[in-house]
């Protein structure tokens, strides 16, 4: 009996042990299957993330390609229109040379976008308004650097009434921006400039003689450092027709006309009355030159002919600022208008009743704080005031 009891206990222990081992093996299998499932889910998630990123990149690339194609098509369209305008413009130039005036067809309205082609009407400014700027020679390549937020100034003198000039800024390091101004903007900057090119990398600006802001004289160049930058800058002028004394419209030619009423401009027909026989040959030549620009001048609502010296009013800054201290408030306002001072400053001058003597006594900070001028406008006032003292 005892032996049978021991055998049953031994058998029960063996069976229990086998049962426990079976349960452990089952749990291990389940844990292994769970790990495999989690690994598969992780792989699937990674695949989904990769596919999503690829899809997003493809969508972005498609959007980029579409935008690039659109820009290309717009550029080609603008180029096509520019070529058409150029062809029309060249035809108009030839017509002007042959007939002495522009054609009146509707397609010739493009001429209104350009300045008068008569070289005598292109402004000539001999004065250097930024003596501190570095003078660049034609074709000279200058290597320089500019710190972030600072501006380096250069200048170039163009002496031709036709042709063009090309300013090239080659970036060596950083991101410099190119700004150019004529006599109205001797210190070109981000806020005040005549021409600009701010694309990243190399910058280039070409100024043609038919540009409304084209002049004969100094062009001022500003290089602004968006970051600390190293660069090379050069200016190449395309020679054209140099201004000659006989091309200038002077009061001497007008004086050769016997009476002003004998040479009238008809604004309805854009034509001139017959040239009197008493005119000299030179005066007739100048009159024909005037005739070519008469039509455009009539559209502006003013006569293309210069006034005689007797009727000319002293409105130039140099003439008026000679007697700056003797000016009353109204004369100061008229003078400031010739200097392109902002209407807000002129309103303050009018309200405060500022006279020429008070204006002449003000310094840079007083002009900016009390009259609300920008630094460029205040410097313009001080420049003409210093010229008055020099005279």
């Amino acid at each position: 009996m005892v032996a049978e009891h021991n055998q049953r206990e031994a058998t029960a222990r063996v069976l229990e042990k086998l049962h426990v081992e079976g349960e452990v093996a089952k749990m291990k299998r389940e844990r292994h299957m769970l790990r495999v499932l989690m690994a598969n889910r992780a792989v699937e998630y990674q695949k989904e993330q990769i596919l999503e990123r690829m899809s997003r990149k493809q969508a972005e690339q498609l959007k980029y390609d579409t935008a690039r194609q659109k820009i290309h098509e717009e550029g080609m369209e603008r180029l096509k229109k520019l070529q058409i305008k150029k062809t029309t413009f060249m035809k108009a130039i030839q017509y002007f040379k042959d007939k002495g005036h522009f054609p009146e067809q509707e397609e010739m309205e493009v001429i209104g976008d350009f300045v008068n082609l008569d070289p005598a009407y292109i402004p000539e400014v001999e004065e250097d308004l930024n003596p501190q700027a570095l003078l660049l020679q034609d074709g000279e390549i200058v290597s320089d650097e500019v710190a972030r937020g600072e501006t380096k100034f250069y200048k170039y003198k163009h002496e031709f009434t036709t042709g063009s000039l090309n300013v090239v800024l080659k970036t060596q390091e950083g991101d410099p921006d190119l700004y150019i101004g004529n006599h109205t903007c001797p210190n070109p900057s981000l806020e005040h400039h005549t021409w600009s090119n701010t694309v990243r990398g190399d910058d280039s600006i070409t100024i043609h003689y038919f540009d409304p802001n084209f002049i004969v004289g100094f062009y001022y160049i500003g290089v602004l450092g968006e970051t600390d930058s190293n660069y090379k800058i050069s200016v190449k002028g395309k020679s054209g027709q140099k201004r000659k004394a006989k091309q200038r419209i002077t009061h001497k030619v007008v004086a050769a006309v016997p009476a002003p009423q004998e040479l009238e401009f008809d604004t309805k027909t854009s034509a001139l009355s017959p040239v009197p026989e008493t005119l000299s040959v030179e005066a007739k030549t100048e009159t024909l030159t005037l005739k070519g620009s008469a039509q455009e001048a009539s559209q502006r609502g003013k006569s293309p002919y210069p006034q005689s010296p007797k009727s000319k009013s002293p409105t130039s800054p140099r003439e008026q600022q000679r007697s700056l201290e003797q000016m009353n408030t109204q004369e100061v306002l008229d003078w400031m208008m010739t200097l392109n001072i902002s209407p807000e400053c002129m309103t303050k001058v009018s309200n405060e009743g500022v006279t020429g003597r008070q204006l002449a006594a003000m310094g840079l900070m007083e002009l900016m704080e009390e009259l609300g001028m920008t630094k460029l406008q205040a410097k313009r006032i001080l420049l003409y005031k210093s010229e008055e003292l020099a005279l």
Side-chain angles (χ1 to χ4, degrees):
M1 295 292 293
V2 175
E4 292 179 359
H5 178 72
N6 292 335
Q7 184 179 4
R8 283 196 299 270
E9 287 183 355
T11 303
R13 287 195 297 269
V14 169
L15 291 175
E16 184 179 359
K17 183 179 180 180
L18 292 174
H19 178 72
V20 171
E21 290 178 353
E23 291 295 328
V24 170
K26 182 180 178 181
M27 292 176 62
K28 287 183 177 180
R29 287 195 300 269
E30 290 178 353
R31 186 174 65 176
H32 175 71
M33 294 298 295
L34 183 60
R35 287 179 177 177
V36 171
L37 180 61
M38 292 178 64
N40 291 336
R41 288 181 178 178
V43 171
E44 291 296 330
Y45 178 76
Q46 291 178 355
K47 288 183 179 179
E48 291 178 359
Q49 291 295 314
I50 293 173
L51 292 175
E52 184 179 353
R53 286 197 296 268
M54 291 178 62
S55 177
R56 189 162 54 246
K57 286 184 178 180
Q58 289 176 354
E60 292 177 353
Q61 184 65 32
L62 179 61
K63 183 179 179 180
Y64 173 77
D65 292 341
T66 304
R68 186 174 182 179
Q69 180 66 22
K70 183 179 179 180
I71 293 174
H72 176 71
E73 291 176 355
E74 291 176 352
M76 294 302 295
E77 184 67 22
R78 288 196 297 268
L79 179 60
K80 183 179 179 181
K81 291 181 180 179
L82 184 61
Q83 290 175 344
I84 294 175
K85 283 188 176 183
K86 182 179 179 180
T87 302
T88 306
F89 187 66
M90 296 307 296
K91 290 181 180 178
I93 293 176
Q94 189 60 42
Y95 191 96
F96 178 85
K97 291 180 179 179
D98 297 338
K99 304 295 184 179
H101 61 86
F102 291 118
E104 300 178 357
Q105 293 88 343
E106 294 183 358
E107 58 268 20
M108 291 299 156
E109 292 180 357
V110 65
I111 299 303
D113 297 335
F114 300 96
V115 296
N116 196 308
L117 294 182
D118 188 349
Y121 284 90
I122 295 178
E124 182 176 5
V125 183
E126 292 290 340
E127 184 178 4
D128 181 4
L129 302 179
N130 190 348
Q132 289 76 25
L134 176 64
L135 179 63
L136 299 177
Q137 302 299 328
D138 188 69
E140 177 187 12
I141 300 177
V142 176
S143 298
D144 207 342
E145 59 183 16
V146 62
R148 178 181 180 182
E150 295 184 359
T151 304
K152 288 285 187 72
F153 292 104
Y154 307 89
K155 58 190 173 186
Y156 174 80
K157 189 173 185 180
H158 188 73
E159 299 180 346
F160 300 95
T161 56
T162 57
S164 62
L165 64 147
N166 179 246
V167 182
V168 178
L169 179 68
K170 290 189 175 294
T171 303
Q172 305 294 318
E173 182 181 358
D175 182 24
D177 290 336
L178 179 62
Y179 300 96
I180 302 179
N182 55 15
H183 63 293
T184 64
C185 187
N187 296 281
S189 62
L190 176 63
E191 295 81 11
H192 303 284
H193 57 266
T194 310
W195 301 273
S196 67
N197 190 335
T198 59
V199 299
R200 189 171 184 83
D202 296 343
D203 296 338
S204 176
I205 297 177
T206 301
I207 305 172
H208 298 279
Y209 73 97
F210 49 77
D211 190 299
N213 296 309
F214 183 86
I215 65 168
V216 176
F218 284 97
Y219 288 81
Y220 305 94
I221 305 167
V223 179
L224 172 64
E226 289 291 335
T227 61
D228 293 343
S229 306
N230 296 325
Y231 57 88
K232 292 183 179 181
I233 188 170
S234 63
V235 184
K236 182 64 177 177
K238 183 178 180 182
S239 61
Q241 181 179 0
K242 239 182 179 180
R243 187 184 293 276
K244 300 179 182 178
K246 66 179 182 180
Q247 289 179 323
R248 300 188 182 186
I249 299 179
T250 61
H251 299 300
K252 181 179 180 180
V253 176
V254 178
V257 182
Q261 63 272 18
E262 296 184 23
L263 183 60
E264 297 180 347
F265 176 73
D266 191 347
T267 58
K268 295 182 179 179
T269 60
S270 299
L272 294 171
S273 60
V275 180
E277 294 299 329
T278 55
L279 285 175
S280 63
V281 175
E282 181 181 358
K284 290 182 180 180
T285 304
E286 294 294 338
T287 304
L288 292 176
T289 304
L290 290 172
K291 182 178 179 181
S293 57
Q295 182 177 356
E296 183 177 352
S298 67
Q299 295 174 356
R300 297 176 182 170
K302 59 182 181 180
S303 171
Y305 304 103
Q307 302 297 321
S308 62
K310 294 182 180 180
S311 62
K312 183 179 179 181
S313 59
T315 57
S316 66
R318 286 190 179 181
E319 293 175 349
Q320 290 191 352
Q321 65 97 26
R322 287 174 185 268
S323 56
L324 176 59
E325 294 190 358
Q326 284 76 34
M327 290 184 185
N328 56 32
T329 302
Q330 184 57 44
E331 291 173 336
V332 168
L333 291 173
D334 295 338
W335 178 66
M336 292 176 68
M337 186 177 297
T338 63
L339 298 181
N340 294 325
I341 304 301
S342 63
E344 293 79 6
C345 300
M346 297 177 64
T347 301
K348 187 170 292 187
V349 169
S350 177
N351 294 338
E352 298 293 337
V354 179
T355 63
R357 182 179 295 276
Q358 292 173 322
L359 189 65
M362 290 184 177
L364 179 66
M365 297 305 298
E366 292 175 322
L367 291 172
M368 295 173 63
E369 294 175 357
E370 298 182 12
L371 299 183
M373 294 185 181
T374 64
K375 190 173 183 179
L376 181 62
Q377 292 173 347
K379 284 186 175 182
R380 198 178 301 159
I381 294 289
L382 296 178
L383 175 65
Y384 285 111
K385 189 169 68 174
S386 62
E387 289 184 357
E388 177 185 8
L389 296 175
L391 291 173

